[in-house]
Amino acid sequence: DVKVTQSSRYLVKRTGEKVFLECVQDMDHENMFWYRQDPGLGLRLIYFSYDVKMKEKGDIPEGYSVSREKKERFSLILESASTNQTSMYLCASSLSRVGSYGYTFGSGTRLTVV
Amino acid sequence: GESVGLHLPTLSVQEGDNSIINCAYSNSASDYFIWYKQESGKGPQFIIDIRSNMDKRQGQRVTVLLNKTVKHLSLQIAATQPGDSAVYFCAENAQTGGFKTIFGAGTRLFVKA
């Protein structure tokens, strides 16, 4: 069974902390994505990567960075966590860079910044 | 899909009835559409997709209808079961003009036993 695995289901962090969210996929997909999900707003794209060491900004990259050192791993970094970054974070991978075959999502990380 | 504000629309159906969940999409250039199901505490799960050269596609107990004239997408679930209770949302993708997938905010489906 193919999988996208996010390392943490729940995280509580303090304002100003540096936060790392890890994501691993076993489908050999080149394309990986980080979204945040907030009630009533749908999924919003933070960053995506279409190859190792490649990254592109999504719709809401401010306050975030990413790292893709290996094909299977895509990390989201909150440089200095703030309360408005409290959210559900979803990692996804895809066969297609342009979403032509849909996404496989992880189970999500619910981050609370206090 | 359109944002519908802070509160998700809710659909409540009796077990065994058919469910219809609607989605208005925003980009007339969108040519690929997906329905996802998200159960509580889980990530979204692909249900069914449809391309713009089709107006209907059927899966197991699910049917997606596409009306490009009014930019409307619907998901029909036959013989709804308690396990179908979840948030359902649509996604639209336009392969022309650059990469862009837009997700709708979703509809919460409650199935009453």
Side-chain angles (χ1 to χ4, degrees), chain A residues 73-91:
Chain A
R73 187 179 295 271
F74 191 35
S75 302
L76 179 69
I77 304 155
L78 285 65
E79 298 291 342
S80 177
S82 63
T83 54
N84 63 12
Q85 292 178 309
T86 292
S87 187
M88 169 72 91
Y89 289 87
L90 290 164
C91 175

Side-chain angles (χ1 to χ4, degrees), chain A residues 22-25 28-34 48-56 65-77 91-94:
Chain A
E22 306 288 345
C23 175
V24 177
Q25 52 100 358
D28 202 34
H29 286 169
E30 292 181 341
N31 308 287
M32 297 187 74
F33 308 81
W34 275 104
F48 67 101
S49 168
Y50 52 89
D51 202 351
V52 174
K53 296 192 185 296
M54 304 300 289
K55 61 184 180 184
E56 287 201 22
S65 62
V66 289
S67 173
R68 184 106 181 261
E69 296 296 320
K70 293 183 178 181
K71 189 175 185 179
E72 66 271 18
R73 187 179 295 271
F74 191 35
S75 302
L76 179 69
I77 304 155
C91 175
S93 73
S94 176

Side-chain angles (χ1 to χ4, degrees), chain B residues 61-107:
Chain B
R61 283 201 306 118
V62 295
T63 301
V64 55
L65 299 177
L66 175 63
N67 185 331
K68 295 182 286 293
T69 303
V70 294
K71 295 192 289 185
H72 184 267
L73 197 64
S74 69
L75 177 70
Q76 300 179 1
I77 305 173
T80 314
Q81 302 168 1
D84 295 327
S85 294
V87 174
Y88 292 82
F89 56 92
C90 63
E92 58 181 298
N93 179 266
Q95 296 186 53
T96 56
F99 167 75
K100 187 69 174 180
T101 297
I102 301 171
F103 292 89
T107 295

